[in-house]
Amino acid sequence: MQPLIHPGVEEAVQNDDSFLSIQSRQRLAVTNGQSGFYMLDSGHEAFLYRAALVEAAEQSIDVQSYIWNNDASGRYLAGRLLLAADRGIQVRLLLDDFNAEGIGELFAALDTHPNIYIRLFNPARSRGGWGRWVSFLMDFDRINRRMHNKTFVVDGAVGVVGGRNIGDEYFGFDADLYFRDRDVLSLGPVVNGMTDNFQAYWDNRWAYPVSVLYPDTPAEGNVVAALDQLRRQARAQDGLPVPAPADSPRGRTELVELFDRLVVAHGELVFDLPFETMEEPAETPRRSAKALQILAQAASQEILIESAYLILTEKQLKLLDVGDRQGLKVTAVTNSLASNDLVTNHAGYARWRPYMLRQGIRIYELKPDAEACEQWLRNDSVCASGDASLHTKSVVFDRSTLVVGSFNVNLRSIYLNGETVLVIHSPELAEAVARDVQSLMQPGNSWEVSLDDSGDLHWRSGEESYTSEPAVGWWRGVKSRLLSWLPIEKYL
């Protein structure tokens, strides 16, 4: 597949008299270029404020996501975006193609609306079935350059950035699985960086209009019927466990109440530019990784990491120089084998886990039945099933600077993916997130992993003690061990 040369869709003209622009200008008028931030730690809040932003939009909505599921929350937000387009809002959706197979045809139908534009980044040659997997293998180097960035920007004035994809398991709507995650809703100058990030990928020659990839969109009558059904489902809020604001007054009311709770601080958005060519070597850390490296090298007391996937090899740890600095404590919370959604990713981590421990990094692994699950969800039925998993990507430096974004602390994020990180210089927010991360280290939530004098691994939680991966069946443990022997951690 060759990169596509296509005419760009211009950015929507942003007027300063929109509701959100006025809110930004009034609330941040005397803050000397600072922005306002609100942590979206709850899945339900993350969903509801996205829904509120859609209703408050007056000019444009730009959404960038790695995954968009064809489920209750995914269809609802798609339906509300359709209704926003009906009232004249320009909607642009930019999705990574890797997980787009199950929803591509729906987006092809949405793309027929005159105010909706949809592109898929770095697509596979084949659109479905075994052919899709064959095309992944044939284009292995190219297919591994994924757009993992996640942003949600409305009227160029308010944006959400973080680790969440669009789907029930990310918002606490799935009855069987919950991904603990963190986003930040931002108001003010920092949102300009989110717009720049979106535009850089939108204009990239590997961003294909969905109409090119799905030329056999159903006949016009079928498209009209499909879109009408999506509108009806969105108006009825089918399948939603919580009521969402479904008109402009309610959306604005929700947002005004949130804006009253913003923390004002200096911040900057750092994002990785798309690769110039998909053939260039992926051997150099990308911009987001370099930003984190600078912050890590400047830390003098403490680095707290919360990362769904964690892989730092000898090369990265030498660059960070965390093992030899007197007085610096580095602690990481990540998934256990029992809570990890991907055995392959755990295997890559397990390959380097002893080395990270020997370098002085304290590691805690999330329990799948973490007691904190009941604090994360209003409906704790999923907690009873024991299927909670970590999806968060946050780092706190010296309780003064906080980073939240799409960046997992692993090799894929360092070298291959496009990532977005929001750096916030706020002791207040840094301390709040640090306390939240520390709560995960409690015995009811995690096992601490350590090495004994013989170099063997031990997992401890209160009075519990294990000498092998806890709370997993033998076959899952065997798969992880076998895969950990393979030097494939860069691609996990």
Side-chain angles (χ1 to χ4, degrees), residues 390-407:
L390 196 66
H391 199 259
T392 321
K393 307 103 168 52
S394 301
V395 188
V396 180
F397 300 93
D398 288 344
R399 305 286 175 113
S400 61
T401 299
L402 166 67
V403 172
V404 178
S406 64
F407 187 100

Side-chain angles (χ1 to χ4, degrees), residues 176-448:
D176 301 313
L177 176 64
Y178 179 63
F179 283 124
R180 167 187 160 88
D181 217 324
R182 179 175 293 115
D183 292 320
V184 186
L185 187 146
S186 306
L187 181 75
V190 76
V191 179
N192 294 333
M194 301 180 200
T195 298
D196 293 342
N197 163 75
F198 181 93
Q199 199 68 37
Y201 282 84
W202 183 263
D203 290 338
N204 186 262
R205 57 184 184 156
W206 286 100
Y208 275 63
V210 71
S211 58
V212 173
L213 299 171
Y214 294 90
D216 300 324
T217 301
E220 182 178 347
N222 291 337
V223 168
V224 170
L227 296 184
D228 283 344
Q229 181 183 14
L230 195 61
R231 291 184 179 96
R232 288 193 298 271
Q233 290 174 333
R235 291 190 180 105
Q237 301 200 4
D238 287 355
L240 295 186
V242 293
D247 57 36
S248 180
R250 280 179 281 188
R252 291 185 179 191
T253 298
E254 293 281 352
L255 291 169
V256 166
E257 292 175 358
L258 178 145
F259 293 157
D260 288 338
R261 292 176 281 165
L262 293 175
V263 174
V264 176
H266 285 290
E268 61 264 8
L269 190 89
V270 181
F271 65 92
D272 299 320
L273 290 169
F275 283 96
E276 289 294 327
T277 68
M278 294 299 182
E279 294 77 27
E280 66 182 279
E283 302 296 336
T284 304
R286 313 206 68 206
R287 292 205 307 188
S288 56
K290 290 178 180 177
L292 285 167
Q293 179 183 336
I294 291 170
L295 291 168
Q297 289 172 335
S300 60
Q301 301 170 23
E302 179 188 56
I303 300 174
L304 284 173
I305 301 168
E306 185 178 359
S307 182
Y309 312 126
L310 177 68
I311 302 176
L312 291 172
T313 71
E314 182 178 4
K315 179 179 180 180
Q316 286 76 50
L317 287 175
K318 282 184 176 178
L319 285 173
L320 296 177
D321 187 33
V322 296
D324 298 327
R325 270 184 278 167
Q326 190 73 23
L328 178 65
K329 298 178 181 179
V330 182
T331 306
V333 180
T334 190
N335 277 305
S336 63
L337 179 56
S339 68
N340 204 315
D341 62 318
L342 296 169
V343 174
T344 50
N345 287 45
H346 185 85
Y349 153 72
R351 176 182 173 88
W352 286 96
R353 179 170 49 193
Y355 179 80
M356 288 188 281
L357 290 168
R358 287 195 297 271
Q359 298 307 302
I361 299 176
R362 295 186 68 178
I363 297 177
Y364 293 80
E365 295 181 357
L366 184 73
K367 294 181 175 181
D369 57 351
E371 294 174 0
C373 179
E374 295 182 4
Q375 302 168 19
W376 304 335
L377 296 169
R378 295 180 188 177
N379 180 356
D380 62 359
S381 60
V382 66
C383 301
S385 72
D387 289 328
S389 183
L390 196 66
H391 199 259
T392 321
K393 307 103 168 52
S394 301
V395 188
V396 180
F397 300 93
D398 288 344
R399 305 286 175 113
S400 61
T401 299
L402 166 67
V403 172
V404 178
S406 64
F407 187 100
N408 287 299
V409 183
N410 68 354
L411 305 193
R412 170 166 281 282
S413 289
I414 293 172
Y415 296 107
L416 287 169
N417 282 350
E419 305 287 3
T420 302
V421 295
L422 179 59
V423 182
I424 307 172
H425 305 283
S426 167
E428 179 181 350
L429 291 177
E431 179 65 36
V433 172
R435 289 197 302 268
D436 196 29
V437 175
Q438 284 185 316
S439 72
L440 288 185
M441 302 175 195
Q442 298 304 309
N445 297 321
S446 294
W447 296 287
E448 182 175 8

